[in-house]
Amino acid sequence: MNHLAKTALAGCLSMVAFSAHAETDLIIASSLPQVHFWVGKHMDLFADAMEERTKGDVTFTRFYAGELTAVGRELDALQGGAIDVAAPLLAPYHEGAFPLSDVTQLPTVGTDAVSQTKAFQALMDSDVALDDGKTFYDYEIAAKQIHAWPVATTAAYAISFAGVVPKSAADLKGMPLRAGSALHTIFLSELGATPVSMPSSASYEALSRGTIEGTILSVADWRSYSLQDVLTYTITGVAVGHWGSYLAISDAAWTRLTEAERATWTETAQQIAIRNAELIQAQDAEVLEESKANGGTFADLSTLAPDLKATIERASVATWKRWVEQTEAAGHPGMATAKLWAALVKEQGGALPDGVDAYLASGG
């Protein structure tokens, strides 16, 4: 067979192999509305990019705002086959299922969405054994019949109030403030406030009615729930952590992809997460300026009354300690995870509240 004939035959075989690979359509769903930055600025960007990069071999049927799965039910939907992809899987709302994932919510200083997303990606990729030879990914993801990648972390979580301006630590005593996770509950308890657990979607009504007087949330997140209309005073300068969540696909759906498509998926997920972080950080600045223009006040920690500043700083350190202790008491590697996360945060230029380094060095 001459060279031209061989080339023609190879081309035909390649076309047969290509056509033999059926197009894969995946059900991708979010429990959040499209206006949320993890949906319109991540889920849609990711799905669009995958469809383009695979030239339509991988496509998505998209569902929004809880049409197929609710907040905290994404893992069940993936494991039960109701959906193929959760975007995002809100790990902190899955009580007990992701015991280490709250680590991104530990208080930090000088961090933003981009730096913390890079730290979160490094945490997911880390080969450091945390317990019995298991890495963070092994411990949190591998045994759950899913594959996962970080979506962007939020911008810094701040303490915000509706019509209230705390002047001293005493003003926080017993104040009902919204907590979105177990870690926020720890932080608010250390402040002396009364934590009220509820999803962000319920915050507007609760703030409007005075059921709660404030919340812990990133400023960029306000737009998703119209909270810029009710939040009037915000303390900045210390991040009450950064909420991290996952883009997750079921093992069953993952096996439907070719090796090349899986590689494209991983690369795309990593790139879109960083782009998502950039968009979140920009939105954080936009919402802050909009709030200021409408009379909102933002007070840096350094400008607060000494006793209020000291209380917030103490609460930040105590939150690290209590999270580690509670996680360890539940049988999980809290100290090892906290140490790894602290190192990754600092690698990305962030800092820890004074006293955290000494606590981690002491081993608890």
Side-chain angles (χ1 to χ4, degrees):
M1 185 181 294
N2 62 34
H3 174 72
L4 290 177
K6 289 180 179 178
T7 301
L9 177 59
C12 289
L13 291 173
S14 177
M15 291 182 66
V16 169
F18 181 81
S19 62
H21 171 55
E23 294 180 3
T24 302
D25 185 71
L26 300 173
I27 295 174
I28 187 170
S30 179
S31 57
L32 303 173
Q34 201 167 10
V35 68
H36 196 282
F37 52 58
W38 277 335
V39 185
K41 294 181 178 179
H42 184 277
M43 172 178 151
D44 284 334
L45 294 185
F46 173 78
D48 289 345
M50 277 297 297
E51 289 176 344
E52 179 182 350
R53 293 176 181 185
T54 63
K55 295 180 169 51
D57 283 346
V58 177
T59 58
F60 298 89
T61 300
R62 309 178 194 194
F63 293 88
Y64 305 96
E67 292 175 310
L68 288 186
T69 182
V71 170
R73 304 299 297 178
E74 297 95 352
L75 183 60
D76 290 341
L78 287 167
Q79 292 176 337
I83 65 175
D84 298 311
V85 185
L89 187 160
L90 298 165
Y93 285 124
H94 292 69
E95 186 174 356
F98 297 90
L100 305 182
S101 293
D102 280 357
V103 71
T104 67
Q105 296 176 30
L106 289 169
T108 52
V109 178
T111 51
D112 60 22
V114 175
S115 68
Q116 295 305 89
T117 298
K118 291 178 179 178
F120 194 18
Q121 289 180 330
L123 181 65
M124 293 282 279
D125 291 340
S126 173
D127 59 3
V128 173
L130 301 177
D131 181 66
D132 194 26
K134 294 180 180 178
T135 65
F136 180 88
Y137 190 94
D138 293 335
Y139 207 96
E140 293 289 272
I141 304 299
K144 295 182 174 66
Q145 302 163 28
I146 61 174
H147 292 259
W149 300 258
V151 299
T153 66
T154 62
Y157 266 45
I159 317 165
S160 300
F161 304 86
V164 177
V165 179
K167 297 294 187 181
S168 69
D171 291 341
L172 296 178
K173 296 294 184 183
M175 183 182 290
L177 300 175
R178 176 258 176 188
S181 69
L183 202 143
H184 292 162
T185 298
I186 294 173
F187 179 79
L188 291 176
S189 296
E190 291 294 334
L191 284 183
T194 298
V196 180
S197 297
M198 66 174 65
S200 293
S201 56
S203 298
Y204 183 91
E205 183 176 358
L207 288 162
S208 299
R209 292 185 174 185
T211 306
I212 57 174
E213 295 185 68
T215 184
I216 295 179
L217 195 65
S218 74
V219 175
D221 242 325
W222 294 4
R223 186 177 288 170
S224 300
Y225 311 105
S226 300
L227 297 185
Q228 66 270 30
D229 297 335
V230 290
L231 294 174
T232 56
Y233 181 82
T234 298
I235 296 173
T236 62
V238 61
V240 189
H242 297 252
W243 189 293
S245 291
Y246 301 112
L247 168 70
I249 181 173
S250 68
D251 283 352
W254 188 245
T255 62
R256 292 163 57 192
L257 303 179
T258 67
E259 287 297 327
E261 289 165 352
R262 293 177 190 178
T264 299
W265 183 292
T266 296
E267 181 181 16
T268 302
Q270 293 170 338
Q271 292 173 350
I272 295 299
I274 298 300
R275 179 56 181 153
N276 185 212
E278 294 168 347
L279 293 171
I280 288 173
Q281 204 57 47
Q283 183 168 314
D284 197 72
E286 290 168 9
V287 177
L288 186 147
E289 291 304 319
E290 289 170 5
S291 178
K292 283 183 177 179
N294 291 325
T297 300
F298 294 81
D300 188 81
L301 182 67
S302 63
T303 68
L304 302 183
D307 72 315
L308 180 55
K309 176 177 179 290
T311 295
I312 293 172
E313 291 173 335
R314 282 196 299 270
S316 298
V317 179
T319 298
W320 278 77
K321 294 179 179 178
R322 281 185 56 183
W323 183 82
V324 168
E325 290 166 1
Q326 290 181 14
T327 304
E328 290 281 347
H332 306 296
M335 178 59 79
T337 305
K339 286 182 175 180
L340 176 57
W341 178 244
L344 295 174
V345 167
K346 289 188 283 188
E347 281 180 12
Q348 294 300 328
L352 308 179
D354 287 343
V356 171
D357 275 326
Y359 167 71
L360 295 179
S362 74

